[in-house]
Amino acid sequence: MPLLVPSLLHGLGQGAAAPVVVLLALEHGASVPQAGLVAATAGLGMLVGDVPSGWIISRLGERRAVAASTLIGVAGAVLSALATRPDLIAVGVALVGLATAVSMVARQNSVVEVVAYSHRGRALSAVAASMRAGLLLGPFLGAALVAAAGPEGGLWLQAAALAVAGALMMCVPDATPRGSGGEGVTMVAVRHARVLTRVGSGAMVLGVCRTCRTAVLPLWAAHIGLDAVATSVVFGIGGAVDLLVSLPAGRALDTIGRVPVAVASTTVFAAGALLLPLANGAVSVAAVSVVLGAANGLSNGLLMTLGADLAPPGDRVAFLGLWRVAHDSGTVVGPLVVAGVTATAGLAAASLASGGLAAAGAVIFARVVPRYLPRRTSDHGDDNRCPAVLPADTIPSTT
């Protein structure tokens, strides 16, 4: 629970803050494109924080790193709530993103440390699912505070959620003691450059697919004439399917294997994106939303599990920070891809391009990942410190 609840609270804060950041920026004089850039600094902050996160955790120790990231995240949320200029709001949002990168690597590392390899996929999917549950609940709880205190209310809720999440994480035993730096981030990047670039390319494609889902689907709904309420309902249906599929997907990671789940999720993403231009009404758009939500749910916990499998035991946190760069690069690039293709060839072309990228991701996962996944026959050969929950001979092959 000290790992699942902080994930829920992080998602809760993010879900409460995301809608109001744009409103606050507009309220303080930003144009619509500028307000969009302010919101995008959250992803940029995470991307900037990914690389040093492993170094910070290994040098300070996990608990000190969590404490520091919590202070930075709370300060960022408070700054955004009190700011009267769009640029200051952007700085606060970026600080929250940077702090989130450190805390997510710390949570992932803690799960890998305490959970047997046979249950790794389920555990990491549960952590990811708890964050997605928070993202679904956040806007509703934030709306109550916004009604009482204005748009700043969502940011105050985020600050409180980050503070409580950090306090709970401090209850977790320190999985990475202070000064356990291993080879360092630069050496890890050089030594594992091939796996980070080859398998990381699939992770980047998945990041692009996820952000294209959140960008293209609402735009297409508006394009065919659905109002804001109908669009929200359609998107909410997909989010509910996403959450429902998440935990079974985690079990599939442990029982069927990493590669089949990775190929399935990207293939379903491709199908949904390719079908979207054919949707011309609320029912058909909702059906595509269900397909895309299922794809997103299938990928829930996938990249964290792959990163944990591929990470060298002595330099795990450094590797995990570098591993996150690939996916977070995709989340930053995704909206730019959608905007660029839409501007030149139209929204339908943007959806088809997303489908093509997802299909390419399925090929990458199918052909590249099995070469690098370690084959383990028991938990005694793994870097976990807890005994296996299942007997060694029941642990599934990762391929």
Side-chain angles (χ1 to χ4, degrees):
M1 295 307 291
L3 292 170
L4 293 176
V5 176
S7 294
L8 176 69
L9 291 171
H10 269 271
L12 192 74
Q14 185 178 338
V20 302
V21 164
V22 173
L23 296 178
L24 276 176
L26 292 171
E27 188 178 287
H28 293 305
S31 64
V32 172
Q34 289 172 338
L37 289 175
V38 169
T41 54
L44 185 61
M46 288 185 65
L47 185 59
V48 170
D50 284 335
V51 174
S53 60
W55 181 86
I56 292 168
I57 293 170
S58 61
R59 291 299 182 271
L60 298 181
E62 196 164 283
R63 298 183 70 184
R64 289 184 179 87
V66 168
S69 68
T70 299
L71 290 174
I72 292 171
V74 171
V78 171
L79 173 61
S80 296
L82 298 177
T84 56
R85 289 166 26 200
D87 56 341
L88 292 178
I89 297 173
V91 171
V93 171
L95 287 175
V96 173
L98 191 151
T100 300
V102 176
S103 63
M104 289 187 73
V105 171
R107 281 200 302 274
Q108 184 179 0
N109 186 56
S110 292
V111 170
V112 175
E113 187 71 17
V114 302
V115 174
Y117 176 75
S118 57
H119 282 57
R120 179 180 287 174
R122 275 166 278 199
L124 289 171
S125 292
V127 170
S130 63
M131 187 166 184
R132 293 188 185 185
L135 286 169
L136 284 176
L137 294 173
F140 297 102
L141 294 179
L145 285 176
V146 168
E152 297 87 351
L155 291 163
W156 290 117
L157 176 58
Q158 184 180 44
L162 290 174
V164 176
L168 288 172
M169 278 290 291
M170 297 299 290
C171 300
V172 179
D174 204 337
T176 306
R178 183 179 182 181
S180 55
E183 292 183 316
V185 175
T186 303
M187 285 301 299
V188 171
V190 172
R191 189 180 295 274
H192 302 281
R194 179 169 292 185
V195 63
L196 286 168
T197 53
R198 292 190 177 184
V199 186
S201 62
M204 184 176 180
V205 167
L206 190 54
V208 172
C209 293
R210 286 172 169 174
T211 54
C212 287
R213 166 183 169 262
T214 59
V216 175
L217 184 63
L219 288 174
W220 187 261
H223 173 69
I224 64 171
L226 299 186
D227 59 22
V229 174
T231 300
S232 297
V233 170
V234 164
F235 201 77
I237 291 171
V241 173
D242 177 353
L243 195 57
L244 287 172
V245 172
S246 294
L247 293 181
R251 182 174 180 82
L253 283 170
D254 289 328
T255 55
I256 300 174
R258 280 46 159 164
V259 176
V261 174
V263 172
S265 65
T266 44
T267 301
V268 177
F269 262 123
L274 295 174
L275 287 172
L276 184 60
L278 302 177
N280 56 10
V283 174
S284 55
V285 172
V288 173
S289 180
V290 167
V291 173
L292 292 173
N296 213 42
L298 281 171
S299 69
N300 189 28
L302 168 66
L303 295 183
M304 287 197 293
T305 305
L306 279 177
D309 291 343
L310 298 169
D315 294 284
R316 187 194 298 139
V317 289
F319 183 93
L320 292 179
L322 293 166
W323 172 251
R324 284 188 54 81
V325 171
H327 174 265
D328 289 347
S329 297
T331 63
V332 173
V333 169
L336 300 178
V337 171
V338 171
V341 176
T342 301
T344 57
L347 190 56
S351 184
L352 294 175
S354 301
L357 278 173
V363 174
I364 292 171
F365 282 129
R367 298 192 62 176
V368 175
V369 174
R371 303 179 190 176
Y372 298 101
L373 280 183
R375 293 181 179 273
R376 297 188 176 106
T377 56
S378 75
D379 278 336
H380 301 293
D382 196 9
D383 54 350
N384 296 301
R385 296 179 183 176
C386 288
V389 177
L390 296 176
D393 60 352
T394 67
I395 297 173
S397 167
T398 56
T399 57

